[in-house]
């Protein structure tokens, strides 16, 4: 029969073997993450060239003084109002339906491009009343005016039920296109 094992001898690694094993582990991690490390080094190089690292070094070395200045600046009423306004604007931006806004922005960009191309020459005839009335027959101008009037109708709607809320427009009161009044969902 076999004898029972009563004594277990653990293999002891010397300091040199432990160091060699740790270096191999670090080397493998460096090789596995080569692209990320090279990109990080590139970012650090650009930050150093722009003086960001020097700024951060000074910020951390004088951390208490910098924090004191920031607290004093934030304690002013103007800073408090700025922070409140910023939070309000971020809340409002969260309620904007970007899908509905996109076509309007595309049309706005088109209008801006036309204005950029427009040259104001002295020798051209000035726009008169009859020219304005005649331009109403132009389909593009007619569409733009219709869009403007719809926008103005929307601006004039009673929005009391929509204000001061963080709900998305789809979850709030919806305006009726017939009467321009708000109706609860």
């Amino acid at each position: 029969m076999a004898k029972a094992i009563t004594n277990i001898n653990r293999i002891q690694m010397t300091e040199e073997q432990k160091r060699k094993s740790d270096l191999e582990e670090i080397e493998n991690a460096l090789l596995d993450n080569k692209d990320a490390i090279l990109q990080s080094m590139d970012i650090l190089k650009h930050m150093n060239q722009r003086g960001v690292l020097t700024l951060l070094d000074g910020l951390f070395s004088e951390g208490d003084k910098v924090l004191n200045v920031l607290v004093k600046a934030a304690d002013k009423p103007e800073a408090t109002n700025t922070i409140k306004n910023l939070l309000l604007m971020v809340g409002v931006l969260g309620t904007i339906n970007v899908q509905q806004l996109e076509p309007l922005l595309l049309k706005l960009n088109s209008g801006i491009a036309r204005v950029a191309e427009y040259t104001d020459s002295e020798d051209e005839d000035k726009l008169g009343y009859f020219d304005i009335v005649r331009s109403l027959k132009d389909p593009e101008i007619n569409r733009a005016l219709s869009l403007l009037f719809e926008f103005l109708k929307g601006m004039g709607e009673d929005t009391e039920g929509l204000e001061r809320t963080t709900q998305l427009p789809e979850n709030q009161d919806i305006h009726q296109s017939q009467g321009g009044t708000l109706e609860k969902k």
Side-chain angles (χ1 to χ4, degrees):
M1 281 216 185
K3 289 185 177 180
I5 298 175
T6 57
N7 190 11
I8 298 175
N9 292 328
R10 294 185 187 254
I11 299 175
Q12 296 291 328
M13 290 180 69
T14 64
E15 268 308 307
E16 187 176 320
Q17 290 173 330
K18 175 78 171 136
R19 185 174 175 87
K20 185 177 180 182
S21 170
D22 289 345
L23 281 173
E24 283 180 19
E25 185 178 348
I26 291 171
E27 186 178 271
N28 289 334
L30 287 172
L31 289 174
D32 291 342
N33 299 302
K34 173 187 159 194
D35 293 334
I37 292 170
L38 290 175
Q39 193 172 16
S40 299
M41 296 299 286
D42 194 39
I43 290 170
L44 285 173
K45 181 179 97 177
H46 291 300
M47 288 173 67
N48 189 37
Q49 289 172 347
R50 302 277 191 272
V52 174
L53 293 180
T54 307
L55 177 71
L56 289 175
D57 183 43
L59 179 68
F60 289 128
S61 66
E62 299 293 330
D64 292 337
K65 292 178 185 176
V66 171
L67 187 60
N68 187 25
V69 169
L70 287 175
V71 167
K72 285 182 181 178
D75 193 31
K76 295 179 182 177
E78 300 88 25
T80 305
N81 286 338
T82 301
I83 292 170
K84 283 196 302 190
N85 290 340
L86 182 63
L87 291 173
L88 180 65
M89 288 174 56
V90 168
V92 168
L93 285 176
T95 63
I96 292 176
N97 189 341
V98 179
Q99 290 174 336
Q100 290 177 338
L101 191 61
E102 184 182 17
L104 181 64
L105 292 176
L106 292 173
K107 291 177 182 187
L108 183 66
N109 283 340
S110 177
I112 291 172
R114 280 197 178 210
V115 169
E117 293 171 3
Y118 178 76
T119 57
D120 190 22
S121 303
E122 292 293 327
D123 57 340
E124 287 187 22
D125 293 332
K126 300 290 182 194
L127 186 64
Y129 296 117
F130 293 114
D131 296 325
I132 293 172
V133 172
R134 205 176 12 240
S135 68
L136 290 176
K137 292 182 179 180
D138 184 350
E140 291 174 347
I141 291 177
N142 200 306
R143 266 194 305 269
L145 285 174
S146 297
L147 181 69
L148 177 63
F149 286 138
E150 285 300 316
F151 177 74
L152 291 174
K153 281 183 189 178
M155 291 277 297
E157 281 184 351
D158 180 20
T159 59
E160 199 168 307
L162 299 177
E163 293 177 3
R164 298 190 180 272
T165 180
T166 57
Q167 292 178 351
L168 292 174
E170 300 86 41
N171 301 330
Q172 296 178 16
D173 296 339
I174 302 298
H175 65 275
Q176 294 292 357
S177 59
Q178 294 91 1
T181 59
L182 292 176
E183 183 179 287
K184 290 256 185 214
K185 262 191 164 180

